Amino acid sequence: MDMAGQNNLDLDLDLDSDDELGHLKASKRQISHEEFMRNRDIMANFPNRFYQTQEEIILKRRIGSGVAFVSLVAENLLSHPFQVLRRQCQVHHTSQRYHLLPFTLIPTVYRLHQHQGLTTLWKGLGSVLLVRGISIGVEDLISKITPWPKEIRWHSSLKHFFQHTLLKCVSLAIVTPFYSASFVETVQSEIASEKPGILDVFKEGFMRLFNWNGGAKGRMLPIWVLIVPTITLGLSKYLFTMMVKGASARLLHSRFKNKHEANGALPKDISHSVVLQDLDTTASLIANIASDVAFYPCETIIHRLYLQGTRTIVDNLDSGRSVLPILTNFAGAMDCYESCVASEGTLGLYKGFGALIMQYAVHVALIQFSRFLLTELGSLIHKPKKQPPLPTDISPAALSNLSATHRSYLLP
């Protein structure tokens, strides 16, 4: 049996034989409270071993669930204002300020709130959530009417991988018209545009979908021109995120195991430990950051193509006090890339990058704060159980070592 298997053995056996006692000495896993109580006589030989009560395990599981929930809310809801900022920077091809660092955005955001109110950075949130729901529903429907799997794992076959990839491509193609319509709602200025209705994203999306060969608004690109780069970006970003998350999870898992083996407190079954949830949350965050940074230039190009021909007026983030129309005439993704590099330089592809830094700085801060807060609240509600005293040696040799000051004066 290998060492990993030995570490996962519990102490339900009678620890009387030399082999079992030697196994306990070699094992570095963390001892549970029940195991400690069942084997207190044997555990007297291991004064440095730690154990966890069932209450502590449940508390840690709840803290991990709470942190995962906060991370999910930050990723899908609280990140929206920062996405609005960076999208408005990305589509402004004539801007003088690139906002590569978050410090330059702070005065601009202050002036936006001063002139347009606190809700200016929350525009388009409803349509964004609707499009995400459409994407999930489309994938679920396709997986039910076809043999294509909705999810894959590392041990999935190559056939399932290609089928899953095909499902993602079809889903992205169907959602592209609605995603581009939702994107317009997130960047258009509230003071210079009519406020869209809740279902306008469906109307605009179907209009783009039915106008396959071109839009009715002049330079609007046909939907088939947008589908190919959207699928390429979406699929590449998805596969890259999946690979980075898998690699990060393995590294974090190995680091956790090595650290606790050195301290002599490895959990009983690390594959089902409560810490696995924390490791998964951290790995997901690392993967999201890496993918957003790696594909940021491609995202800038796609967003400019979405906005072309829509006659959208956006906030001028150079000053934060005015608005301006976006007028472009790109033939496609390559033409957009070449025009951007020629007129704005390579850094033009990274306009608004400071908003991305702010987004994940707030995300990480919220995770750390929520973990600290939940841990403190948990320690107040559930007092940690003290380790029971180990058995006292009451042999005659031990009794003879008692101090003479405890002798009764009634004895001769």
Side-chain angles (χ1 to χ4, degrees), residues 136-157:
I136 295 174
V138 168
E139 289 186 5
D140 186 65
L141 178 62
I142 294 175
S143 64
K144 289 181 178 179
I145 63 177
T146 65
W148 304 340
K150 186 178 179 180
E151 297 179 354
I152 57 173
R153 303 185 182 276
W154 288 103
H155 53 77
S156 299
S157 64

Side-chain angles (χ1 to χ4, degrees), residues 90 98 100 293 296-298 300-301 304 336-353:
Q90 286 174 323
Y98 287 13
L100 301 176
V293 172
Y296 195 91
C298 303
T300 300
I301 295 172
R304 293 187 179 186
C336 180
Y337 169 77
E338 294 173 356
S339 300
C340 178
V341 173
S343 60
E344 305 167 61
T346 305
L347 292 179
L349 298 171
Y350 291 90
K351 284 184 175 181
F353 192 79

Side-chain angles (χ1 to χ4, degrees), residues 15-34:
L15 298 178
D16 296 332
S17 66
D18 294 338
D19 293 340
E20 293 167 356
L21 191 59
H23 158 65
L24 179 60
K25 293 180 180 180
S27 175
K28 292 185 177 182
R29 69 170 177 84
Q30 203 167 32
I31 307 302
S32 69
H33 178 256
E34 290 75 11

Side-chain angles (χ1 to χ4, degrees), residues 8 10 16 36 46 56 75-76 79 82 91 99 113 138 172 178 193 270 324 329-330 335 343-344 361 374 382 408 410:
N8 291 334
D10 58 27
D16 296 332
F36 184 90
F46 307 95
E56 290 174 339
E75 179 182 350
N76 294 282
S79 63
F82 305 101
V91 300
H99 295 299
H113 285 161
V138 168
L172 287 169
F178 306 100
S193 306
I270 192 173
L324 71 154
N329 191 21
F330 304 123
D335 182 41
S343 60
E344 305 167 61
L374 292 174
H382 301 280
S408 174
L410 297 179

Side-chain angles (χ1 to χ4, degrees), residues 81-321:
F82 305 101
Q83 292 180 359
V84 170
L85 277 176
R86 84 175 193 235
R87 287 177 173 183
Q88 287 188 320
C89 292
Q90 286 174 323
V91 300
H92 190 184
H93 60 288
T94 60
S95 62
Q96 300 300 317
R97 293 186 177 182
Y98 287 13
H99 295 299
L100 301 176
L101 296 176
F103 310 106
T104 61
L105 281 167
I106 296 176
T108 302
V109 172
Y110 173 77
R111 287 190 287 267
L112 280 175
H113 285 161
Q114 192 176 28
H115 288 80
Q116 302 185 29
L118 297 176
T119 61
T120 182
L121 296 181
W122 293 93
K123 53 193 174 186
L125 176 61
S127 64
V128 169
L129 296 179
L130 283 175
V131 171
R132 288 177 183 172
I134 293 173
S135 179
I136 295 174
V138 168
E139 289 186 5
D140 186 65
L141 178 62
I142 294 175
S143 64
K144 289 181 178 179
I145 63 177
T146 65
W148 304 340
K150 186 178 179 180
E151 297 179 354
I152 57 173
R153 303 185 182 276
W154 288 103
H155 53 77
S156 299
S157 64
L158 193 61
K159 177 183 178 181
H160 285 170
F161 172 77
F162 283 113
Q163 288 178 339
H164 178 72
T165 302
L166 188 59
L167 180 144
K168 287 290 183 181
C169 292
V170 174
S171 174
L172 287 169
I174 295 174
V175 176
T176 295
F178 306 100
Y179 182 81
S180 59
S182 172
F183 175 81
V184 174
E185 294 185 9
T186 61
V187 297
Q188 65 183 7
S189 176
E190 285 191 332
I191 61 175
S193 306
E194 183 180 354
K195 189 174 182 179
I198 299 177
L199 301 179
D200 281 358
V201 63
F202 295 103
K203 182 182 70 174
E204 295 293 334
F206 280 117
M207 286 179 60
R208 285 205 169 195
L209 181 62
F210 294 144
N211 293 325
W212 182 264
N213 294 324
K217 296 182 180 180
R219 289 175 287 186
M220 181 183 291
L221 293 172
I223 192 62
W224 63 267
V225 176
L226 300 178
I227 285 179
V228 175
T230 300
I231 292 177
T232 304
L233 175 61
L235 185 60
S236 301
K237 201 171 182 180
Y238 171 74
L239 296 177
F240 180 82
T241 302
M242 187 172 59
M243 289 188 296
V244 173
K245 181 180 178 180
S248 301
R250 290 176 181 271
L251 289 175
L252 292 172
H253 188 277
S254 177
R255 180 185 176 188
F256 173 84
K257 185 176 180 181
N258 294 335
K259 177 182 177 181
H260 285 74
E261 280 184 346
N263 295 334
L266 188 66
K268 180 178 179 180
D269 189 355
I270 192 173
S271 63
H272 296 86
S273 176
V274 294
V275 299
L276 191 63
Q277 192 173 29
D278 286 339
L279 297 181
D280 184 71
T281 301
T282 304
S284 298
L285 181 59
I286 293 174
N288 289 335
I289 294 175
S291 63
D292 281 343
V293 172
F295 292 95
Y296 195 91
C298 303
E299 187 181 77
T300 300
I301 295 172
I302 299 297
H303 287 170
R304 293 187 179 186
L305 295 179
Y306 286 160
L307 206 62
Q308 179 169 304
T310 59
R311 302 175 184 175
T312 302
I313 299 176
V314 302
D315 299 318
N316 184 1
L317 295 188
D318 282 349
S319 62
R321 297 189 180 94

